[in-house]
Amino acid sequence: MNQPYLEMDSISKQFSGIYVLKNVSLKAFEGEALALLGANGAGKSTLMNILGGVLHPDEGRVLIKQKVTEIRSTIDAEKIGIGFIHQELALCPSMSVAENIFISRFPIKNGVIKKKFIEQKSNEVLKRLGCSIDVKKKIRDLSAGDKQLVEIARVLISNAHILIFDEPTSSLAINEKERFFKIISSLKRENKVIIYITHFLDEIFSICDKVQVLRNGETAGIVNVHDLNHHDIVTLMVGEIETDTAQKAAPVQNREKVLRVSDLKRLDVLNSMSFDLYKGEVLGLWGLMGSGRTELIRAIRGLDELDSGQIEIKIDKELRPVAPDKTKKWIGLITENRREDGLFLPLSVRENISVASLPSLLTGNKFFVNTKKEEKLSKELVRMLDIKVTGIQQSAGTLSGGNQQKMILARWLGKKPPIFIMDEPTRGVDVGAKNEIHKIIKNLARKGFSILLISSEIEEIMELSDRYLVLRRGSIVKELPGNSSKNELMLWAAKGKNKEATG
Ligand SMILES: Nc1ncnc2c1ncn2[C@@H]1O[C@H](COP(=O)(O)OP(=O)(O)OP(=O)(O)O)[C@@H](O)[C@H]1O
Ligand SMILES: [Mg+2]
């Protein structure tokens, strides 16, 4: 049998006296993709951060081609040929594609960056990946999928032989995912060693060869993909999970409007969008990447300027106009982009959860926060959502990706606004937690809260929505009932397929 190219041998790591990894060993082979799976907080990113030189193990060693290899820093890792495509992309938005690809290795001549050279080389590597992005474009003008390609190109240009992907597809559109899988296959043909972290279990069957599952910082199993099915993997990850079989609520008669959006316009982004949201419903906003879903909810919450339009919210039994920058009092926003507009990373879990509920947590004189109440609330929500923390004082930035996502949900559940906007509420959370979050969303609706939901996963939006609005190129093109078929949804979202709608 051939030898592993990479071996991690009995790695242990503690944070504040708690084991995050315990005696974990891993083997990876050339020309193969190894899926690294596990529930939120299982230790996947930590293990890979050790390989990437970001963290140092307390115990254990790394072997490359059977030789013990010290990885003291990210620079060491790069020299050894370890390339990391991170969970949260780390590109520089104001710089060009070529500049980002060469960011850590600018070739300089007489104090000037050799622009032509980096552009040419960037073109070459992108071509090797089978895609053509204008290398002069600024990163901020790229789609999520193209940004990720730039990350991959950046790693390839450094001659990485081991490629680590940490949840690479969580922000990709369907067609971008397909392109990405092709790239993985071609990297395998180039004999690269691939380690692939994902919560989308279906993906691993098409691209991975072996699976290693971590559970609470220990290896729960290492298996060939062909010897497993979806259910086996879930069981290895989290034990048996129960599914919620409750049917969707029947459409209610005499429904009560809680939100009316009229004629929202913003040049090139929103073309006169209007709709109503009713009490106790989950309204799914469905559309492809770039259809305007995120832009619409950002506009409702006053995060972007509008050219015109009106938002009315039911306050004291009547719909009343509310300025977009004031809607946050009634509308809780759970975003997909936890890094940019959600969390306060240096602050504690307790503070991050209670921040939305502060007015109700003040002491009698309204000057101080009632810390007892604050603590109680955060602890309750941490328990309810099963957020993996060492304590509510742990700083938000040190939580695993999925647990950060749950914390944003906890924040708004604590405040209980009448309306929730949820933009990819389960992005990055594991199957068990996803199930929990789905139950919570259904329960919120049953209790009379109204939810505007965005999800790029068609199964998720179909499972939860009582009604759909299909968006395309900044317009609402169709309203569909909750029992519509997958085909209908796909058809309406893609109809008149064009560049903007898919890019
Ligand atoms: N600097 C730190 N201080 C304290 N705890 C930490 C630190 N970094 C990570 N942890 C803890 O280590 C555990 C493992 O985290 P890790 O990020 O490896 O999980 P993960 O498997 O990648 O999860 P996810 O799927 O949610 O991304 C988590 O419980 C996290 O809170
Ligand atoms: Mg992680």
Side-chain angles (χ1 to χ4, degrees), residues 15 20 39-46 87 167 199 394 398-402:
F15 286 115
V20 169
N40 295 133
K44 306 177 296 290
S45 296
T46 306
Q87 191 163 16
E167 297 190 42
H199 288 294
Q394 184 172 351
T398 63
L399 290 194
S400 78

Side-chain angles (χ1 to χ4, degrees), residues 312-331:
E312 293 158 275
I313 296 177
K314 192 177 153 228
I315 306 166
D316 303 330
K317 302 202 167 103
E318 247 178 83
L319 282 176
R320 297 171 200 270
V322 178
D325 60 340
K326 299 282 184 307
T327 57
K328 102 161 168 254
K329 194 164 168 202
W330 298 274
I331 305 178

Side-chain angles (χ1 to χ4, degrees), residues 311-487:
I311 297 164
E312 293 158 275
I313 296 177
K314 192 177 153 228
I315 306 166
D316 303 330
K317 302 202 167 103
E318 247 178 83
L319 282 176
R320 297 171 200 270
V322 178
D325 60 340
K326 299 282 184 307
T327 57
K328 102 161 168 254
K329 194 164 168 202
W330 298 274
I331 305 178
L333 177 64
I334 290 149
T335 54
E336 74 179 318
N337 208 335
R338 51 185 180 251
R339 292 266 158 176
E340 276 167 33
D341 21 62
L343 290 178
F344 307 110
L345 296 175
L347 296 186
S348 67
V349 170
R350 176 175 59 94
E351 289 161 309
N352 266 286
I353 290 180
S354 67
V355 61
S357 317
L358 283 179
S360 68
L361 293 173
L362 294 178
T363 53
N365 63 20
K366 303 266 182 239
F367 283 123
F368 300 104
V369 175
N370 181 333
T371 45
K372 279 250 158 56
K373 261 194 186 170
E374 191 193 18
E375 207 179 297
K376 186 162 169 264
L377 176 82
S378 339
K379 279 191 177 155
E380 260 171 32
L381 287 160
V382 163
R383 204 171 321 122
M384 178 173 159
L385 293 173
D386 194 20
I387 305 178
K388 209 172 171 218
V389 291
T390 49
I392 54 171
Q393 293 306 344
Q394 184 172 351
S395 70
T398 63
L399 290 194
S400 78
N403 282 301
Q404 290 183 356
Q405 188 65 16
K406 289 197 209 169
M407 198 163 48
I408 297 191
L409 194 62
R411 172 190 295 170
W412 290 105
L413 289 179
K415 184 173 185 232
K416 299 205 180 76
I419 301 166
F420 286 93
I421 295 180
M422 303 191 179
D423 189 356
E424 309 284 359
T426 62
R427 177 177 159 196
V429 309
D430 65 63
V431 274
K434 193 173 195 169
N435 218 35
E436 281 306 308
I437 292 175
H438 286 175
K439 270 194 218 159
I440 289 168
I441 294 174
K442 288 180 189 168
N443 268 329
L444 283 171
R446 263 176 230 140
K447 285 186 185 149
F449 294 93
S450 306
I451 294 138
L452 209 52
L453 173 74
I454 294 182
S455 173
S456 311
E457 260 183 272
I458 193 155
E459 292 77 13
E460 174 166 89
I461 205 143
M462 288 186 71
E463 154 119 25
L464 296 171
S465 306
D466 300 308
R467 187 164 67 98
Y468 307 97
L469 297 178
V470 185
L471 274 64
R472 176 158 42 91
R473 297 182 71 188
S475 302
I476 297 171
V477 291
K478 184 76 182 165
E479 184 191 322
L480 290 170
N483 59 3
S484 307
S485 70
K486 194 168 176 172
N487 272 351

Side-chain angles (χ1 to χ4, degrees), residues 17 39 43 51-53 65 156 196 241-242 253 269-270 280 287 292 307 347 369 415 426 434 470 481 489 493 495:
L51 192 55
K65 293 198 267 185
L156 287 181
Y196 192 88
I241 55 169
E242 41 162 322
Q253 305 295 321
V269 184
L270 303 174
D307 297 335
L347 296 186
V369 175
K415 184 173 185 232
T426 62
K434 193 173 195 169
V470 185
L489 283 166
K495 229 179 185 179

Side-chain angles (χ1 to χ4, degrees), residues 29 31-35 184 188 192-196 207-211 225:
F29 296 81
E32 278 190 12
L34 171 72
I184 295 283
K188 275 163 63 172
K192 305 269 185 213
V193 179
I194 291 165
I195 302 179
Y196 192 88
I207 52 177
C208 294
D209 303 276
K210 296 200 182 84
V211 175
V225 165

